[in-house]
Amino acid sequence: MKTKTRKVTVTLPLALYEELETLAAKGGHKVPSYVRWLIWKHLAGQDISVPLFPLKSE
């Protein structure tokens, strides 16, 4: 079963994008995956009612 997803587009100043690119490269990643990781890391520390990893229904 495919998980429903949505896209988000973010516009960043070039200097910030380049800094994210440098930080991502340190871990062997590209900017999009690094930004996703940052969001997940932030959400994991929040008290939210939606589970980050919902159980798959069969």
Side-chain angles (χ1 to χ4, degrees):
M1 182 174 165
K2 188 173 180 178
T3 304
K4 291 184 180 181
T5 60
R6 296 283 189 250
K7 283 188 176 185
V8 175
T9 302
V10 179
T11 303
L12 301 170
L14 183 58
L16 180 54
Y17 182 86
E18 289 172 344
E19 188 64 31
L20 287 171
E21 199 170 36
T22 300
L23 291 169
K26 286 181 182 177
H29 301 283
K30 303 266 186 203
V31 173
S33 63
Y34 185 71
V35 170
R36 281 192 298 273
W37 176 81
L38 286 173
I39 293 169
W40 282 100
K41 184 176 179 183
H42 176 76
L43 289 175
Q46 304 300 309
D47 184 24
I48 58 174
S49 61
V50 178
L52 295 179
F53 300 101
L55 297 174
K56 294 181 179 180
S57 58
E58 295 183 56

